mmCIF file of all heavy atoms in Angstrom:
data_model
loop_
_atom_site.group_PDB
_atom_site.id
_atom_site.type_symbol
_atom_site.label_atom_id
_atom_site.label_comp_id
_atom_site.label_asym_id
_atom_site.label_seq_id
_atom_site.Cartn_x
_atom_site.Cartn_y
_atom_site.Cartn_z
ATOM 1 N N ILE A 20 143.955 89.485 73.090
ATOM 2 C CA ILE A 20 142.604 89.899 73.492
ATOM 3 C C ILE A 20 142.599 90.327 74.958
ATOM 4 O O ILE A 20 142.001 91.339 75.331
ATOM 5 C CB ILE A 20 141.601 88.743 73.256
ATOM 6 C CG1 ILE A 20 141.465 88.483 71.750
ATOM 7 C CG2 ILE A 20 140.244 89.077 73.857
ATOM 8 C CD1 ILE A 20 140.608 87.277 71.432
ATOM 9 N N ARG A 22 145.109 91.500 76.717
ATOM 10 C CA ARG A 22 145.812 92.765 76.887
ATOM 11 C C ARG A 22 144.948 93.922 76.416
ATOM 12 O O ARG A 22 144.861 94.965 77.050
ATOM 13 C CB ARG A 22 147.125 92.722 76.096
ATOM 14 C CG ARG A 22 148.017 93.905 76.348
ATOM 15 C CD ARG A 22 149.296 93.757 75.571
ATOM 16 N NE ARG A 22 149.971 92.496 75.925
ATOM 17 C CZ ARG A 22 151.024 92.039 75.251
ATOM 18 N NH1 ARG A 22 151.509 92.685 74.201
ATOM 19 N NH2 ARG A 22 151.594 90.896 75.627
ATOM 20 N N GLN A 43 149.317 113.233 81.062
ATOM 21 C CA GLN A 43 150.334 114.282 81.022
ATOM 22 C C GLN A 43 151.155 114.360 82.306
ATOM 23 O O GLN A 43 152.330 114.710 82.275
ATOM 24 C CB GLN A 43 149.676 115.641 80.761
ATOM 25 C CG GLN A 43 149.140 115.811 79.348
ATOM 26 C CD GLN A 43 148.530 117.184 79.142
ATOM 27 O OE1 GLN A 43 147.791 117.669 79.994
ATOM 28 N NE2 GLN A 43 148.835 117.811 78.019
ATOM 29 N N TYR A 61 158.818 108.624 107.485
ATOM 30 C CA TYR A 61 159.740 109.307 108.404
ATOM 31 C C TYR A 61 158.994 109.828 109.626
ATOM 32 O O TYR A 61 159.463 109.680 110.763
ATOM 33 C CB TYR A 61 160.435 110.446 107.675
ATOM 34 C CG TYR A 61 161.329 111.293 108.553
ATOM 35 C CD1 TYR A 61 162.573 110.823 108.969
ATOM 36 C CD2 TYR A 61 160.930 112.558 108.976
ATOM 37 C CE1 TYR A 61 163.398 111.592 109.788
ATOM 38 C CE2 TYR A 61 161.746 113.337 109.784
ATOM 39 C CZ TYR A 61 162.973 112.847 110.182
ATOM 40 O OH TYR A 61 163.780 113.611 110.999
ATOM 41 N N CYS A 86 155.053 117.922 143.006
ATOM 42 C CA CYS A 86 156.499 117.995 142.820
ATOM 43 C C CYS A 86 156.897 118.998 141.759
ATOM 44 O O CYS A 86 158.047 119.058 141.375
ATOM 45 C CB CYS A 86 157.065 116.622 142.457
ATOM 46 S SG CYS A 86 156.232 115.841 141.069
ATOM 47 N N ASN A 145 156.382 123.542 73.604
ATOM 48 C CA ASN A 145 156.459 122.422 72.654
ATOM 49 C C ASN A 145 155.506 122.557 71.478
ATOM 50 O O ASN A 145 155.580 121.777 70.528
ATOM 51 C CB ASN A 145 156.167 121.102 73.383
ATOM 52 C CG ASN A 145 157.193 120.791 74.443
ATOM 53 O OD1 ASN A 145 158.329 121.266 74.367
ATOM 54 N ND2 ASN A 145 156.816 120.000 75.439
ATOM 55 N N PHE A 218 153.434 126.615 110.047
ATOM 56 C CA PHE A 218 153.088 126.483 108.635
ATOM 57 C C PHE A 218 153.154 125.039 108.136
ATOM 58 O O PHE A 218 152.922 124.784 106.949
ATOM 59 C CB PHE A 218 154.000 127.373 107.785
ATOM 60 C CG PHE A 218 153.704 128.834 107.960
ATOM 61 C CD1 PHE A 218 154.473 129.615 108.797
ATOM 62 C CD2 PHE A 218 152.636 129.420 107.312
ATOM 63 C CE1 PHE A 218 154.197 130.958 108.977
ATOM 64 C CE2 PHE A 218 152.340 130.767 107.481
ATOM 65 C CZ PHE A 218 153.119 131.535 108.321
ATOM 66 N N MET A 266 153.218 138.664 108.247
ATOM 67 C CA MET A 266 151.860 139.119 108.546
ATOM 68 C C MET A 266 151.280 138.450 109.784
ATOM 69 O O MET A 266 150.359 138.983 110.409
ATOM 70 C CB MET A 266 150.938 138.829 107.351
ATOM 71 C CG MET A 266 151.177 139.667 106.123
ATOM 72 S SD MET A 266 150.218 139.039 104.702
ATOM 73 C CE MET A 266 148.561 138.977 105.399
ATOM 74 N N PRO A 273 146.448 141.161 119.251
ATOM 75 C CA PRO A 273 147.027 140.444 120.393
ATOM 76 C C PRO A 273 146.302 140.799 121.681
ATOM 77 O O PRO A 273 145.509 141.735 121.731
ATOM 78 C CB PRO A 273 148.469 140.948 120.413
ATOM 79 C CG PRO A 273 148.360 142.340 119.874
ATOM 80 C CD PRO A 273 147.274 142.298 118.826
ATOM 81 N N ALA A 278 151.325 142.612 134.801
ATOM 82 C CA ALA A 278 151.801 141.931 136.011
ATOM 83 C C ALA A 278 152.730 142.874 136.761
ATOM 84 O O ALA A 278 153.150 143.910 136.226
ATOM 85 C CB ALA A 278 152.524 140.633 135.658
ATOM 86 N N GLN A 294 155.553 138.847 121.708
ATOM 87 C CA GLN A 294 155.870 139.592 120.496
ATOM 88 C C GLN A 294 157.173 140.376 120.666
ATOM 89 O O GLN A 294 157.359 141.070 121.657
ATOM 90 C CB GLN A 294 154.728 140.563 120.153
ATOM 91 C CG GLN A 294 153.385 139.868 120.007
ATOM 92 C CD GLN A 294 153.440 138.743 118.989
ATOM 93 O OE1 GLN A 294 153.696 138.981 117.819
ATOM 94 N NE2 GLN A 294 153.216 137.525 119.432
ATOM 95 N N ARG A 310 152.092 155.213 136.706
ATOM 96 C CA ARG A 310 150.964 155.495 137.584
ATOM 97 C C ARG A 310 149.940 156.390 136.896
ATOM 98 O O ARG A 310 148.749 156.328 137.173
ATOM 99 C CB ARG A 310 151.462 156.156 138.876
ATOM 100 C CG ARG A 310 150.436 156.209 139.992
ATOM 101 C CD ARG A 310 151.053 156.753 141.274
ATOM 102 N NE ARG A 310 152.212 155.983 141.672
ATOM 103 C CZ ARG A 310 152.137 154.834 142.354
ATOM 104 N NH1 ARG A 310 150.965 154.335 142.675
ATOM 105 N NH2 ARG A 310 153.247 154.208 142.705
ATOM 106 N N LEU A 334 162.761 152.402 138.016
ATOM 107 C CA LEU A 334 161.325 152.138 138.043
ATOM 108 C C LEU A 334 160.618 153.069 139.020
ATOM 109 O O LEU A 334 159.534 153.598 138.742
ATOM 110 C CB LEU A 334 161.067 150.680 138.427
ATOM 111 C CG LEU A 334 161.579 149.615 137.449
ATOM 112 C CD1 LEU A 334 161.314 148.219 137.999
ATOM 113 C CD2 LEU A 334 160.915 149.763 136.078
ATOM 114 N N TRP A 343 153.764 145.443 131.173
ATOM 115 C CA TRP A 343 152.734 144.997 130.237
ATOM 116 C C TRP A 343 153.412 144.390 129.002
ATOM 117 O O TRP A 343 154.580 144.654 128.717
ATOM 118 C CB TRP A 343 151.825 146.163 129.794
ATOM 119 C CG TRP A 343 152.528 147.233 129.008
ATOM 120 C CD1 TRP A 343 153.183 148.315 129.500
ATOM 121 C CD2 TRP A 343 152.675 147.300 127.580
ATOM 122 N NE1 TRP A 343 153.729 149.063 128.488
ATOM 123 C CE2 TRP A 343 153.421 148.458 127.292
ATOM 124 C CE3 TRP A 343 152.246 146.503 126.536
ATOM 125 C CZ2 TRP A 343 153.751 148.833 125.997
ATOM 126 C CZ3 TRP A 343 152.561 146.871 125.236
ATOM 127 C CH2 TRP A 343 153.307 148.038 124.971
ATOM 128 N N TYR A 352 145.884 130.038 118.320
ATOM 129 C CA TYR A 352 146.511 129.196 117.290
ATOM 130 C C TYR A 352 145.566 128.904 116.127
ATOM 131 O O TYR A 352 145.886 129.177 114.963
ATOM 132 C CB TYR A 352 147.007 127.880 117.905
ATOM 133 C CG TYR A 352 147.455 126.880 116.878
ATOM 134 C CD1 TYR A 352 148.704 126.993 116.278
ATOM 135 C CD2 TYR A 352 146.630 125.828 116.487
ATOM 136 C CE1 TYR A 352 149.119 126.076 115.327
ATOM 137 C CE2 TYR A 352 147.036 124.915 115.527
ATOM 138 C CZ TYR A 352 148.288 125.046 114.959
ATOM 139 O OH TYR A 352 148.680 124.148 114.004
ATOM 140 N N ALA A 368 142.194 131.777 94.527
ATOM 141 C CA ALA A 368 140.987 131.900 93.719
ATOM 142 C C ALA A 368 141.096 133.060 92.736
ATOM 143 O O ALA A 368 140.701 132.947 91.564
ATOM 144 C CB ALA A 368 139.765 132.081 94.626
#
Side-chain angles (χ1 to χ4, degrees):
I20 293 174
R22 188 178 303 171
Q43 289 181 316
Y61 175 75
C86 52
N145 297 336
F218 289 99
M266 290 170 53
Q294 304 305 297
R310 193 174 304 278
L334 296 177
W343 65 273
Y352 171 79

